[in-house]
Amino acid sequence: MTRPQGFKAVTLHTMTDVRHQVDTLDAQLVPLLLQRLQCMRAAAQIKSKRDQVRDDQRVAAVLDHVKRRARQLGADASDVDAIEAIYSQLIEFCIGYELRHFDQKSAQQEVGR
Ligand SMILES: O=C(O)C(=O)C[C@]1(C(=O)O)C=C[C@@H](O)C=C1
């Protein structure tokens, strides 16, 4: 199977090859996703108002950044679109996650008063 420039070359002839590669990639992705969630927890502590959690300008900048990175790695237009779609969903999840942590913080501050 051919792949764009900038991707590590791997042989993917059988479903065993494909699943082994998916498991290897997921093992790398999970710690990165956990680190991203850690950033959301920190953001929830730092932001002082609930309506600061969603920041549409920043969302647009994050999407531009990841699409540029995909292009740099040689992704074609349809894979750049796929990255945008995946990140749109990821950021929506992160906003919900951050809101839950923001609300927890606010509830704890209320109890502490
Ligand atoms: O940059 C922030 O302010 C974040 O909270 C992070 C993040 C993201 O997932 O990247 C999440 C919520 C905001 O709407 C914008 C971006």
Side-chain angles (χ1 to χ4, degrees), residues 4-60:
Q5 261 187 334
F7 293 20
K8 200 176 150 204
V10 282
T11 312
L12 298 173
H13 293 310
T14 66
M15 276 312 296
T16 304
D17 293 340
V18 169
R19 289 180 177 172
H20 182 261
Q21 178 65 1
V22 167
D23 288 346
T24 301
L25 293 172
D26 286 342
Q28 292 170 23
L29 275 171
V30 169
L32 294 174
L33 288 170
L34 288 171
Q35 284 182 53
R36 200 178 204 288
L37 292 177
Q38 209 173 38
C39 290
M40 300 308 126
R41 284 173 186 250
Q45 296 303 316
I46 294 163
K47 291 181 186 180
S48 56
K49 295 195 181 76
R50 199 177 194 274
D51 66 7
Q52 292 171 337
V53 169
R54 181 183 291 276
D55 180 336
D56 290 333
Q57 239 185 318
R58 175 61 185 162
V59 171

Side-chain angles (χ1 to χ4, degrees), residues 50-100:
R50 199 177 194 274
D51 66 7
Q52 292 171 337
V53 169
R54 181 183 291 276
D55 180 336
D56 290 333
Q57 239 185 318
R58 175 61 185 162
V59 171
V62 173
L63 292 177
D64 279 352
H65 176 237
V66 295
K67 287 193 299 181
R68 203 176 328 118
R69 180 71 182 130
R71 284 189 204 101
Q72 252 178 23
L73 291 169
D76 65 18
S78 97
D79 281 357
V80 173
D81 288 349
I83 290 293
E84 181 173 29
I86 291 165
Y87 263 85
S88 296
Q89 297 265 324
L90 176 63
I91 295 170
E92 270 315 304
F93 179 87
C94 284
I95 290 170
Y97 181 92
E98 197 178 313
L99 280 171
R100 288 195 293 281

